[in-house]
């Protein structure tokens, strides 16, 4: 188990602080100017106005105009000092803020209680991770970045104060109010992470307020409803609860919020409340701990205060105890009257009010309220939801995911060919992002149960799970709150606990780690992952963690059970593609809009009806989109996992992969004659052809033979060779209701073997060589090509879509149609291979026949970039990959590798790829409008799939408009432009 080390973390804070680019909150303030501003404003305030400056009222931006008018009246006529916004939206809040600031003679403090950013309170703004999630991560600098970006968001909203971070040490699993709002139960981890959060905000001009002093973590009650008791010794409180606050104070936190707590060890007075306690605020916080910043009460409308205090004296008592700002008094006018009465009676002095008023004014000036106070509403929501904010959230969520148990070492999942995988989501009845992301890695069958399923539903799912040997369970629609049992119901737990006894089961918990204590059979799970929060990003990342798309390294910030104490967690390295946003690989999302524009222009011009794109940088899928539809005029959008006819990409992803593996296994030698392995060539004019030359397209083979023309009579196929129904002799499917005599396959192969060679020994692209290679490999492996590649590559790699004969595996509504063939098949080709020769070979050939989505193509390319390794398994020999992907015959003006195409030999010459692709790059293009390219120098993969041949293969606009390579170039430009 890993223990958080405070000494090393403190050193990290001190060391990193020396290099921060942010300007410290109070730096750059002209003290003389500040004093002058404060004095001038103060001079305009009546005694009651000075009291009003100490009040901060509750505000909403989602209420009606009557409410806003009433709030405006309080600002204008009562002259309150500030407001704290809760529910609403960013633009609406900005509008209300501008109205209130325009009505206030003295600029208002605008605050928000945004522990995980303004999105905690406002719609249309995404959330940053909660503090318990952040407690699981290692990168404290990432928390600083989050604090800095929250400051950016708040300032953009016209906010000067954020009531964060929570500095409570949550050492009570049943805490009903703090819980996931705390960084955890380890005081050192809480202190250091709270400090980073605070520094990120304050270095960027936002007042941070640490809460809830003197520590709300070890209580089973909620101060919103009652007065919690912290019944601990002074030594315990000093050692645990006060530790983070002392650390924050020593590092310059500007604000501290005092909570409604009874703490007898700190104040022995009867019915003492920390908010009203001079021993706790003046003596401890001010004098002993040396805090000279802003002291603010917790909300004064909470029952933890109102039910245990004198309503006529509570405001004056709070000020006398040492608070500077009274947060959310029940009635501002009554509060001012009560305070005025206390002054008149001598209970508190006017000088106390004046001093606090000047402190508040000085903080306002430091916050920039001496200048423009108004919010520009233009593009406000877009500015708040910046790509940087998304990136910070993604990185933090990634680091937090915690693998607490993996006794069988199955994470990341390997040997996918032997896994029949199901997922069961408990808490929802439809496909969730977690399941969608699982399907990106392997064929997974998905099931669902409601949060509290009945026995019949559970029994039904158990029966359906019988064929599967691995089940991935996920608890969703959960809660942070122990009083709600974390949103996980007993029947759902019982189902999972019973399942793990009979199936290898991975438990993924999108909830608090405390919820692990509810599972009675936790030792029986093959692996257990805590994901802390239930949202689309965390669900996707957790699926990636299961399959090894991302590294796993989180540590439990709390003790969940005796088996999993604080600091528990296992490390796992990434082994597969990850899915992310462009910013994570240094690319601006905005810069990729050019890619979208090129694709859409292609669709609008009729170059193709639909397309899929995938781009991968540094092993991360940063761009994955589907455009258009299968056909022109269709209103059914193309999906990312729809299948396309890969056409000549088959040469790479079937025949060449097979050749590479056979070479690595010592079963063939590319320098050997193909006739050495394929006997029918030995007495032909092709007996001398070398495999390397065949695969580099310079063996002298004809480009192709139009076999379909040779068997037609008056434009229609010979009825002796074809039938409309499948039969004993007519087993080769060519198209719908179109079957060929099985013996004609041999005729095609014999015709290729007997075909004349070209006179010149030069580069000439040919399908025939790859047809012959596939036939020879069938003899070597004793397997048809489709079976061999499926077993040795596609199944092992978990590629759900790639393969031959897609009609046998998928519904037609997932397969893009190709040509309306008026010359041979006289129908729209849909679900059958477009290439006529491949169709006549039964849909399985060495040059065409593969179908796939773009992602599966990218996975193969990533394996090649990784020199034959993927998913923690070796598929190809490193030296073999290097040999096949290099130029084979440059001296013969041939740019080709073995099976792979390469960039032009001389820069500026016409070639198959864009100018920015490095000479080390490799790939292939396909007749149906496909393109796949990998660049090991730039660690970049780009895949483009389309059905440009629909409905007419003569449509060549995709080439005329140079769409595929223009997109490729645009991606390189986006990388160069960076962020």
């Amino acid at each position: 188990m890993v223990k958080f080390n405070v000494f090393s973390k403190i050193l990290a804070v001190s060391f990193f602080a020396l290099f921060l680019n942010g300007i410290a909150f109070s730096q750059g303030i002209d003290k003389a100017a500040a004093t002058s501003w404060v004095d001038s404003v103060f001079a305009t305030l009546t005694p009651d106005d000075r009291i009003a400056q100490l009040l901060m009222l509750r505000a909403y931006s989602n209420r009606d105009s009557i409410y806003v008018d009433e709030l405006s009246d309080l600002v204008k006529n009562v002259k309150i000092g500030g407001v704290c916004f809760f529910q609403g939206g960013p633009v609406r809040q900005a509008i209300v803020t501008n109205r209130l600031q325009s009505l206030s003679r003295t600029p208002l403090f605008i605050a928000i209680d945004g522990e995980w950013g303004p999105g905690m309170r406002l719609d249309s703004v995404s959330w940053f991770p909660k503090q318990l999630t952040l407690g699981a991560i290692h990168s404290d600098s990432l928390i600083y970045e989050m604090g800095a970006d929250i400051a950016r968001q708040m300032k953009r909203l016209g906010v000067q104060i954020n009531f964060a971070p929570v500095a409570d040490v949550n050492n009570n699993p049943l805490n009903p109010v703090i819980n996931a709002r705390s960084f955890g139960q380890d005081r050192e981890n809480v202190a250091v992470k709270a400090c980073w959060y605070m520094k990120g905000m304050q270095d960027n001009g936002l007042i941070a307020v640490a809460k809830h002093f003197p520590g709300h973590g070890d209580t089973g009650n909620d101060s919103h409803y009652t007065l919690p008791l912290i019944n601990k010794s002074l030594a315990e409180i000093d050692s645990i609860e006060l530790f983070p606050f002392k650390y924050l104070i020593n590092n310059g936190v500007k604000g501290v919020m005092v909570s409604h707590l009874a703490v007898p060890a700190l104040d022995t007075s009867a019915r003492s409340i920390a908010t009203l306690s001079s021993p706790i605020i003046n003596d401890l916080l001010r004098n002993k701990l040396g805090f000279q910043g802003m002291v603010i009460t917790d909300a004064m409308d909470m029952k933890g205060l109102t039910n245990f205090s004198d309503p006529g004296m509570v405001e004056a008592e709070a000020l006398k105890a040492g608070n500077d700002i009274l947060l959310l008094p029940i009635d501002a006018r009554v509060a001012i009257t009560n305070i005025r009465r206390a002054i008149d009676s001598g209970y508190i002095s006017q000088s106390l009010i004046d001093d606090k008023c000047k402190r508040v004014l000085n903080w306002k000036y430091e916050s920039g309220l001496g200048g423009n106070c108004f919010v520009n509403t233009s593009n406000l929501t877009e500015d708040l939801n910046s790509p940087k904010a998304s990136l910070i959230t993604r990185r933090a969520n990634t680091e937090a995911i915690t693998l607490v148990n993996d006794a069988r070492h199955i994470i990341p999942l390997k040997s996918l060919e032997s896994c029949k995988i199901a997922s069961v989501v408990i808490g929802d009845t439809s496909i969730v992002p977690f399941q969608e992301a699982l399907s990106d890695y392997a064929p997974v069958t998905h099931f669902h149960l409601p949060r509290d399923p009945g026995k019949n539903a559970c029994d039904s799912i158990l029966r359906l799970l019988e064929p599967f040997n691995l089940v991935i369970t996920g608890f969703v629609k959960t809660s942070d709150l122990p009083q709600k049992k974390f949103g996980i119901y007993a029947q759902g737990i019982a189902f999972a606990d019973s399942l793990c006894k009979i199936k290898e089961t991975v438990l993924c918990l999108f909830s608090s780690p405390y919820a692990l204590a509810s599972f009675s059979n936790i030792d029986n799970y093959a692996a257990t992952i805590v994901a802390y929060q239930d949202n689309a990003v965390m669900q996707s990342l957790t699926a990636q963690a299961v399959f090894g798309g991302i590294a796993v390294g989180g540590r439990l910030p709390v003790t969940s059970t005796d088996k999993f104490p604080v600091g528990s967690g296992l490390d796992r390295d990434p082994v597969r593609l990850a899915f992310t946003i462009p910013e994570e690989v240094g690319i601006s999302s905005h810069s990729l809009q050019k890619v979208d524009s090129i694709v859409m222009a292609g669709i609008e011009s009729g170059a193709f009806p639909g397309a899929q794109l995938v781009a991968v940088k540094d092993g991360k899928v940063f761009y994955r989109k589907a455009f258009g539809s299968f056909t022109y005029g269709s209103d059914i959008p193309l999906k990312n996992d729809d299948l396309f006819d890969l056409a000549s990409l088959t040469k790479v992803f079937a025949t060449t992969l097979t050749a590479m593996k056979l070479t690595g296994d010592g079963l063939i030698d590319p320098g050997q004659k193909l006739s050495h392995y394929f006997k029918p060539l030995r007495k032909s004019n092709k007996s001398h052809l070398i495999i390397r030359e065949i695969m580099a397209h310079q063996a002298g083979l004809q480009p192709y033979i139009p076999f379909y023309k040779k068997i037609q009579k008056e434009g229609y196929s010979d009825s002796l060779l074809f039938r409309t129904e499948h039969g004993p002799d007519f087993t080769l499917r060519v198209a719908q209701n179109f079957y060929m005599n099985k013996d004609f396959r041999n005729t095609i192969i014999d015709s290729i073997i007997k075909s004349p060679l070209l006179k010149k020994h030069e580069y000439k692209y040919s399908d025939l060589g790859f047809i012959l290679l596939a036939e020879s490999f069938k003899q070597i492996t004793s397997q048809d090509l489709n079976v061999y590649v499926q077993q040795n590559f596609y199944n092992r790699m978990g590629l759900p879509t790639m393969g031959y004969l897609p009609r046998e595996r998928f519904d037609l509504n997932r397969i893009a149609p190709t040509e309306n063939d008026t010359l041979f098949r006289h129908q729209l080709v849909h679900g059958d291979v477009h290439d006529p020769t491949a169709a006549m070979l039964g849909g399985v050939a060495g040059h065409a026949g593969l179908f796939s989505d773009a992602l599966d193509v990218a996975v193969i390319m990533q394996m090649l970039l990784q020199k034959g390794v993927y998913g923690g398994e070796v598929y190809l020999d490193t030296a073999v990959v290097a040999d096949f992907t290099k130029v084979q015959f440059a001296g013969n003006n041939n740019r080709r590798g073995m099976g792979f195409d390469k960039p032009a030999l001389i820069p500026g010459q016409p070639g198959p790829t864009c100018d920015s692709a490095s000479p080390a790059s490799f790939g292939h293009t396909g007749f149906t409008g496909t393109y796949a390219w990998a660049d090991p120098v730039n660690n970049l993969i780009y895949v483009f799939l389309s059905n440009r041949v629909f409905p007419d293969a003569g449509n060549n606009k995709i080439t005329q408009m140079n769409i595929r390579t223009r997109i490729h170039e645009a991606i390189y430009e986006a990388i160069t432009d960076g962020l």
Side-chain angles (χ1 to χ4, degrees), residues 413-465:
L413 297 180
K414 298 184 179 69
S415 302
L416 297 182
E417 73 278 9
S418 63
C419 293
K420 189 166 178 56
I421 307 172
S423 77
V424 181
V425 157
I426 303 169
D428 207 332
T429 56
S430 58
I431 294 288
V432 299
F434 176 56
Q435 294 174 305
E436 291 175 349
L438 290 173
S439 291
D440 287 334
Y441 287 98
V444 180
T445 304
H446 303 300
F447 301 94
H448 305 85
L449 282 170
R451 283 196 293 179
D452 194 15
K455 184 178 184 302
N456 290 341
C458 292
D459 291 345
S460 176
I461 294 294
L462 284 174
R463 287 192 295 272
L464 293 172
L465 290 174

Side-chain angles (χ1 to χ4, degrees), residues 747-799:
T747 300
I748 292 175
I749 302 303
D750 289 343
S751 297
I752 295 173
I753 293 172
K754 295 175 182 177
S755 64
L757 295 172
L758 300 175
K759 294 181 180 180
K760 291 185 178 181
H761 192 72
E762 60 185 3
Y763 165 62
K764 192 71 173 179
Y765 184 80
S766 172
D767 288 344
L768 303 186
F770 282 80
I771 296 174
L772 293 177
L773 286 168
E775 291 300 307
S776 66
F777 296 161
K778 180 179 178 180
Q779 289 197 5
I780 295 169
T781 64
S782 299
Q783 287 182 306
D784 288 336
L785 180 63
N786 61 320
V787 175
Y788 184 84
V789 290
Q790 198 75 45
Q791 291 181 356
N792 286 278
F793 294 99
Y794 313 152
N795 289 347
R796 286 181 64 196
M797 298 179 77
L799 306 183

Side-chain angles (χ1 to χ4, degrees), residues 634-780:
S634 171
D635 57 358
I636 301 174
L638 191 71
K639 300 187 296 296
N640 278 321
D641 60 354
D642 288 332
L643 282 72
F644 285 84
D645 184 332
L646 298 186
S648 288
L649 268 60
T650 303
K651 295 181 176 71
V652 168
F653 298 113
T655 311
T656 301
L657 286 183
T658 301
M660 295 167 84
K661 179 167 175 52
L662 295 178
T663 300
D665 292 345
L667 296 177
I668 67 169
D669 175 3
Q672 182 62 267
K673 298 174 183 178
L674 182 59
S675 61
H676 181 74
Y677 308 100
F678 190 41
K679 291 181 180 179
L681 292 181
R682 292 178 184 175
K683 294 182 179 181
S684 75
N685 62 350
K686 299 172 182 61
S687 62
H688 65 288
L689 301 186
I690 307 298
I691 293 175
R692 188 180 300 273
E693 291 186 333
I694 294 172
M695 298 194 72
H697 298 277
Q698 70 164 46
L701 293 166
Q702 296 182 55
Y704 72 101
I705 299 174
F707 288 102
Y708 75 94
K709 292 183 178 180
K710 297 179 181 295
I711 58 174
Q712 288 184 323
K713 294 181 179 179
E714 298 181 355
Y716 286 86
S717 301
D718 190 333
S719 60
L720 296 177
L721 297 176
F722 295 92
R723 292 286 189 273
T724 58
E725 295 179 357
H726 185 278
D729 293 327
F730 295 86
T731 59
L732 298 179
R733 177 188 170 96
V734 178
Q736 182 72 18
N737 300 323
F738 199 170
Y739 295 88
M740 191 175 72
N741 188 297
K742 63 180 190 255
D743 294 331
F744 195 73
R745 190 179 190 284
N746 295 330
T747 300
I748 292 175
I749 302 303
D750 289 343
S751 297
I752 295 173
I753 293 172
K754 295 175 182 177
S755 64
L757 295 172
L758 300 175
K759 294 181 180 180
K760 291 185 178 181
H761 192 72
E762 60 185 3
Y763 165 62
K764 192 71 173 179
Y765 184 80
S766 172
D767 288 344
L768 303 186
F770 282 80
I771 296 174
L772 293 177
L773 286 168
E775 291 300 307
S776 66
F777 296 161
K778 180 179 178 180
Q779 289 197 5
I780 295 169

Side-chain angles (χ1 to χ4, degrees), residues 55-57 59 71 75 80-86 93-94 96-102 104 106-113 122 154-163 205-207 294 325 327 364 367 369 373-375:
L55 306 183
M56 183 173 287
L57 304 189
L71 183 61
V75 169
I80 58 172
V83 296
C84 177
F85 277 100
F86 289 88
Q93 178 171 311
V96 175
T97 295
N98 288 344
R99 178 175 176 180
L100 298 181
Q101 292 287 23
S102 69
S104 181
T106 304
L108 287 168
F109 252 148
I110 307 296
I112 200 167
D113 189 15
L122 304 179
M154 296 294 191
K155 291 169 67 178
R156 182 68 179 85
L157 271 168
V159 173
Q160 297 82 43
I161 302 174
N162 187 23
F163 296 133
L206 185 70
I207 293 176
M294 174 192 299
I325 293 178
L327 179 63
K364 286 187 175 183
S367 298
L369 287 173
C373 305
F374 298 99
V375 184

Side-chain angles (χ1 to χ4, degrees), residues 903 913-919 921 933 935 937-938 940 965 968-973 976:
T913 188
C914 68
D915 292 340
S916 294
S918 77
S921 68
W933 211 266
D935 188 341
V937 172
N938 293 286
L940 176 70
T965 50
H968 204 179
E969 189 66 46
I971 293 172
Y972 276 104
E973 290 172 0
T976 302

Side-chain angles (χ1 to χ4, degrees), residues 813-834:
N813 59 14
R814 291 205 40 202
I815 307 171
T818 54
E819 183 180 7
N820 183 18
D821 184 356
T822 60
L823 298 178
F824 173 38
R825 285 158 284 195
H826 300 283
Q827 61 180 274
L828 176 66
V829 180
H830 192 186
D832 296 297
V833 60
H834 173 266

Side-chain angles (χ1 to χ4, degrees), residues 660 664 863-869 874-885:
M660 295 167 84
M863 180 268 288
L864 294 171
L865 272 191
Q866 294 174 182
K867 302 177 181 179
V869 177
V874 177
Y875 292 88
L876 299 170
D877 181 81
T878 297
V880 171
V881 174
D883 186 25
F884 273 67
T885 57

Side-chain angles (χ1 to χ4, degrees), residues 447-597:
F447 301 94
H448 305 85
L449 282 170
R451 283 196 293 179
D452 194 15
K455 184 178 184 302
N456 290 341
C458 292
D459 291 345
S460 176
I461 294 294
L462 284 174
R463 287 192 295 272
L464 293 172
L465 290 174
E466 287 180 5
F468 300 92
N469 58 13
L470 176 65
V471 182
I472 304 169
T473 60
F475 282 83
V476 302
K477 291 192 175 177
T478 57
S479 169
D480 294 328
L481 303 176
Q483 61 268 39
K484 293 186 177 181
K485 298 181 179 179
F486 303 105
I488 301 174
Y489 289 75
Q491 192 62 37
I493 293 171
F495 169 81
D497 278 348
S498 63
L499 178 64
C500 73
K501 293 179 181 179
I502 59 175
K503 297 284 184 183
E504 193 162 56
T505 304
V506 177
L507 172 63
C508 297
L509 191 63
F510 299 100
S511 181
S512 167
Y514 288 128
L516 287 174
S518 302
F519 293 81
S520 58
N521 291 330
I522 202 70
D523 289 339
N524 289 331
Y525 289 92
T528 303
I529 294 175
V530 176
Y532 300 95
Q533 295 182 209
D534 183 19
N535 56 58
V537 172
M538 189 60 101
Q539 286 190 26
S540 173
L541 290 170
T542 302
Q544 295 184 50
V546 169
F547 281 96
I550 59 174
V552 179
R555 295 293 185 266
L556 289 183
V558 296
T559 294
S560 58
T561 67
D562 291 340
K563 182 177 178 60
F564 304 127
V566 62
S568 298
L570 303 169
D571 293 337
R572 294 291 184 268
D573 293 327
V575 296
R576 293 187 175 90
L577 286 178
F579 296 82
T580 188
I581 58 177
E583 283 69 20
E584 188 166 2
V585 292
I587 298 172
S588 167
S589 296
H590 179 76
S591 67
L592 291 170
Q593 291 178 3
K594 183 176 181 180
V595 172
D596 294 14
S597 298

